């Protein structure tokens, strides 16, 4: 049974998943790197990116890494919003640009990119991006057909996660609460009143300062 | 040195400290008792209210109670918003009503009630309510003069806590994050962008499902 999973989805104390003013240089807007600061030192991130550095060596292996490590286990496909691919809006003006993720994106699976402006499939390294103008249900149907019996990871942003939560299509939601107040940006929780009734929720505080919350869908 | 402390200040995942539709019967509006559900079973609450019951006996003594127990230690005075005294708005229509807290309110100290509609001081049991139309700074000045060298507890609601945080008058802020999505009501964090820069923040997950966050003011 294919599950739909969200991992490492970071929000501020005031519930913002990204800041204002997203651009090529600032994927999280004025939030900068602060929402993902807990993630970069982990062994999982270092291995994923090859960004070994003097400050973190081969990476930490505590609770933050335990959560990070679960991200790719058993995943056959990702669904993401267009703005996780790039900051453009409207019709694509430059299809030569192949996204934020460099020559070898960390997905290594098909990735369904939700956009109102489809474009041809794009192979970058081991990752194939498929651009689809589709409802959550339609996108999930295609993703499942591509997943080879594995799970579907829902990659964000907030708008996409919110839509799937509203449609009750999410089985596993890992939210990372970062102790900063962003004040503005895109909120995760809007329109989801009563969400807790559909999930078992477990919370773990990390020495890094973040809190990991895992929402596990109750049996239907 | 008198400190200004906030304790047991509960917010939902989406940052609401109370729901919509506050009334005499529903002090937290549509949130009902859910924001304080972690508090009621604690030994501190049972002792404070005398509400010993078959279900909780004399109360729990885990991490939730540890935080609850700190609430009244070393406190000489409380400052609260008018709506923590009662749900009325505008001019007082009935001064015979002595607040939500019954014949023996749990404060046992002077309580400064912030309101644009002052009324005579009111003694209820061991608690004296003083109704003041005052700025945070003015209210704090009077509170300190009443505190006998002890600390000032800032009792909420969200609007009052937010005003004092904006004015940088809070030394200790204990926020309890409750895993529910309220969707509407009064937000705590609005207008407080960058708050984290003024505080050391420590997070503790409780088996009850809530997360305790303690904000300790950095040295000035």
């Amino acid at each position: 049974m294919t599950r739909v999973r969200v991992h490492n989805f970071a929000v501020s104390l005031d519930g913002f998943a990204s800041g204002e003013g997203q651009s090529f240089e600032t994927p999280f807007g004025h939030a900068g790197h602060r929402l993902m600061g807990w993630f970069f030192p982990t062994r999982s991130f270092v291995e994923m990116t090859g960004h070994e550095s003097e400050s973190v060596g081969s990476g930490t292996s505590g609770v933050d890494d335990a959560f990070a490590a679960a991200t790719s286990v058993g995943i056959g496909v990702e669904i993401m919003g267009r703005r996780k691919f790039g900051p453009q809006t409207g019709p694509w003006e430059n299809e030569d640009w192949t996204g934020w993720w460099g020559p070898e994106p960390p997905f290594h699976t098909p990735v369904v990119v939700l956009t109102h402006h489809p474009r041809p499939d794009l192979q970058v390294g081991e990752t194939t991006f498929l651009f689809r103008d589709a409802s959550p249900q339609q996108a999930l149907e295609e993703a499942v057909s591509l997943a080879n019996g594995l799970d579907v990871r829902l990659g964000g942003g907030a708008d996409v996660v919110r839509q799937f939560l509203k449609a009750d299509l999410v089985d596993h939601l890992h939210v990372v609460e970062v102790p900063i107040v962003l004040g503005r940006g895109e909120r995760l929780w809007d329109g989801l009143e009563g969400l807790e009734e559909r999930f078992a929720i477990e919370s773990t505080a990390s020495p890094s300062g973040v809190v990991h919350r895992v929402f596990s869908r109750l049996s239907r």
Side-chain angles (χ1 to χ4, degrees), chain A residues 112-121 129-134 139 142 146:
Chain A
V112 177
V113 180
L114 293 173
T115 169
H116 295 306
H117 301 275
R119 56 185 261 190
D121 296 354
F129 294 100
L130 310 164
F131 300 86
R132 296 289 185 269
D133 186 4
E142 177 166 11
L146 295 165

Side-chain angles (χ1 to χ4, degrees), chain A residues 132-218:
Chain A
R132 296 289 185 269
D133 186 4
S135 71
Q137 287 84 354
Q138 291 167 334
L140 181 54
E141 197 172 318
E142 177 166 11
V144 169
S145 75
L146 295 165
N148 262 328
L150 298 175
D151 285 349
V152 176
R153 185 175 51 230
L154 193 59
D159 183 48
V160 170
V161 173
R162 214 165 42 224
Q163 284 182 46
F164 276 71
L165 285 170
K166 276 189 195 174
D168 200 15
L169 297 175
V170 177
D171 299 294
H172 174 98
L173 170 64
H174 167 221
V175 172
V176 186
E177 293 175 5
V178 182
I180 59 176
V181 179
L182 279 180
R184 53 214 158 90
E186 196 174 3
R187 289 191 194 271
L188 172 60
W189 301 115
D190 280 9
L192 295 173
E193 180 179 340
L195 179 76
E196 68 280 2
E197 294 167 14
R198 295 191 260 129
F199 291 89
I201 307 172
E202 191 180 309
S203 307
T204 306
S206 163
S208 69
V210 305
V211 171
H212 299 275
R213 297 232 194 225
V214 175
F215 296 67
S216 302
R217 183 72 175 75
L218 299 171

Side-chain angles (χ1 to χ4, degrees), chain A residues 3 5 13 29-30 44 61 68 72 76 83 90 102 104-105 117 134 141-142 148 151 173 200:
Chain A
R3 300 163 72 233
R5 293 157 42 191
L13 287 175
H30 83 286
S44 297
S61 53
S72 295
R83 284 191 292 177
E104 189 51 81
H117 301 275
E141 197 172 318
E142 177 166 11
N148 262 328
D151 285 349
L173 170 64

